[in-house]
Amino acid sequence: MDAITLTIDGAAVTVRRGATVLEAAQQAGIYIPTLCSDHDLEPYGGCRLCIVEIEKMAGLPTACTTPATSGMVVRTATPAVNEARRDIVALLLADYPDDCPACTGDDRCDFHQVVAYLGLDEQPFRRLHRSIPIDSSNPFFERDLDYCIACGKCVRTCDEVVNVDAIEMASRGYTILPSAFGGKPIVQSNCISCGECVVRCPTAALMPKERRLPAQEVKTTCPYCGVGCQIYLGVSDGQVISVRGDRDNDVNRGLLCVKGRFGVAGYVNHPERLTLPLVRKDGALRETTWDEALEMVAGRLAGFGKGEVAVISSAKCTNEDNYVIQKFARTVLGTNNIDHCARL
Ligand code: SF4
Ligand code: SF4
Ligand code: FES
């Protein structure tokens, strides 16, 4: 690795050349408050909360947009830095509602973590109320832009990560907000409901409709297609109630599509979901054991010659399962009639 060493809050930190000051601080475990940065997004410098002092640099540069350089000396939490941060957050709080739904036990809200870090108990500015109608048109998430701080993360996510561009920042100045084309409900846009903007929103402006907190999480592989996205299923009372992508793996790096993010709990918990094989007896399908079902299938297959049967496998199976199935088809059944479908 082509590395450089700088000093942050008195500690020597070695990072890859090209890393930002923010990345260097995060690598060293030094907290710098942020609201508009995300490791999947290009540096933006919008919220100004990550300002720091850097020796021999004028003003308070933003750590998320400033490249770390060799020998740089950075101070992340001086009185001047935190005073400026408090002014920024106080302005954001001026029109932020008190009754934030993200604070009802869900600790996902980055904004309130920043408020707590800066110790902002009192609001020095007059409170303003925007009363923007909530957009509940999407089946999986709500947009309540009274809570929007215009960080632009949702718009940049939709552009840079998902490449859909369903939303843009609309208007100017105080009234700037993310908007679907023509200010229409999000469901009328080309939004694919992936929820990537929802998981990155630092406030309660974008929230999933299902907000229960799971009692525990189980790491597994998304069952929908052959990509093999790694997910954490949130479980409470024996039911799957949430899904989140695992950012620490190279398959999907936390990204999910609409099916993986919002479509797993519905069918796993569905009362009519098949959990046992069915066999037809006396004209009706009845539940049976795997032993009986497999015996029946084996008996029927024995009555067909080579080339008279076909095997259809599924992308939901593992590579190993699919290997065994094609091997079984070719060597036991003697057929090359093998196909596959991601929807099975
Ligand atoms: S859900 Fe996905 S497609 Fe829709 S606006 Fe958000 S990021 Fe874009
Ligand atoms: S909706 Fe959320 S992510 Fe989008 S601009 Fe507002 S606060 Fe930022
Ligand atoms: S996190 Fe750096 S400006 Fe927002």
Side-chain angles (χ1 to χ4, degrees):
M1 179 177 77
D2 187 9
I4 54 149
T5 299
L6 65 161
T7 303
I8 306 180
D9 294 343
V13 181
T14 300
V15 285
R16 65 173 170 82
R17 189 180 296 280
T20 64
V21 171
L22 178 63
E23 288 169 328
Q26 287 171 339
Q27 182 183 309
I30 297 168
Y31 175 70
I32 295 179
T34 66
L35 286 175
C36 72
S37 81
D38 184 279
H39 77 286
D40 289 330
L41 301 175
E42 292 294 320
Y44 180 63
C47 73
R48 320 305 291 177
L49 270 181
C50 66
I51 49 176
V52 291
E53 284 182 358
I54 300 178
E55 280 185 9
K56 299 181 187 158
M57 284 183 82
L60 300 175
T62 47
C64 68
T65 58
T66 305
T69 55
S70 187
M72 190 179 246
V73 178
V74 180
R75 283 180 282 276
T76 67
T78 64
V81 163
N82 277 339
E83 193 54 39
R85 286 175 180 156
R86 270 191 281 275
D87 287 345
I88 294 165
V89 172
L91 285 166
L92 293 174
L93 282 170
D95 55 11
Y96 197 85
D98 290 324
D99 58 337
C100 178
C103 294
T104 55
D106 182 342
D107 61 0
R108 69 184 284 276
C109 178
D110 298 338
F111 186 44
H112 281 97
Q113 286 173 14
V114 169
V115 172
Y117 167 78
L118 293 173
L120 264 167
D121 299 326
E122 292 185 10
Q123 170 48 261
F125 299 114
R126 186 169 62 90
R127 305 307 297 263
L128 305 167
H129 298 286
R130 292 188 280 191
S131 298
I132 301 162
I134 297 173
D135 180 357
S136 300
S137 64
N138 186 283
F140 310 111
F141 61 86
E142 278 186 352
R143 300 171 77 237
D144 187 347
L145 299 186
D146 275 356
Y147 297 94
C148 177
I149 57 169
C151 69
K153 254 186 178 180
C154 52
V155 169
R156 289 179 291 126
T157 298
C158 200
D159 174 21
E160 295 174 28
V161 178
V162 193
N163 293 316
V164 164
D165 280 323
I167 45 179
E168 286 294 341
M169 295 309 283
S171 191
R172 286 285 183 277
Y174 177 70
T175 55
I176 194 167
L177 285 174
S179 172
F181 183 69
K184 291 184 177 164
I186 190 85
V187 80
Q188 292 179 27
S189 73
N190 56 340
C191 167
I192 57 172
S193 300
C194 64
E196 291 298 334
C197 56
V198 179
V199 295
R200 285 176 179 74
C201 177
T203 72
L206 302 177
M207 295 277 278
K209 287 185 174 173
E210 170 57 82
R211 290 177 201 164
R212 280 179 294 165
L213 284 177
Q216 66 174 116
E217 288 193 318
V218 181
K219 190 172 186 300
T220 186
T221 303
C222 176
Y224 266 110
C225 78
V227 171
C229 292
Q230 296 301 293
I231 57 175
Y232 286 95
L233 293 181
V235 182
S236 271
D237 300 325
Q239 300 258 299
V240 175
I241 61 167
S242 65
V243 177
R244 71 177 173 90
D246 172 14
R247 283 197 156 192
D248 299 323
N249 79 90
D250 287 336
V251 176
N252 56 315
R253 294 182 181 158
L255 307 185
L256 295 175
C257 71
V258 58
K259 292 184 294 180
R261 189 179 309 283
F262 298 116
V264 175
Y267 88 79
V268 171
N269 300 331
H270 199 284
E272 293 178 14
R273 178 183 164 207
L274 291 183
T275 55
L276 288 170
L278 302 180
V279 294
R280 197 174 296 282
K281 282 183 186 163
D282 305 324
L285 287 170
R286 299 182 200 285
E287 284 186 351
T288 187
T289 62
W290 281 106
D291 283 346
E292 185 186 348
L294 290 172
E295 217 169 282
M296 177 179 282
V297 171
R300 298 265 176 92
L301 281 176
F304 292 94
K306 291 179 181 177
E308 289 183 325
V309 290
V311 173
I312 302 177
S313 185
S314 168
K316 287 185 183 176
C317 300
T318 62
N319 285 342
E320 290 78 8
D321 286 342
N322 278 320
Y323 176 81
V324 169
I325 289 166
Q326 64 81 29
K327 201 73 177 167
F328 173 76
R330 291 192 166 100
T331 59
V332 179
L333 298 178
T335 180
N336 283 325
N337 298 334
I338 304 164
D339 208 342
H340 155 284
C341 175
R343 297 286 180 268
L344 286 179

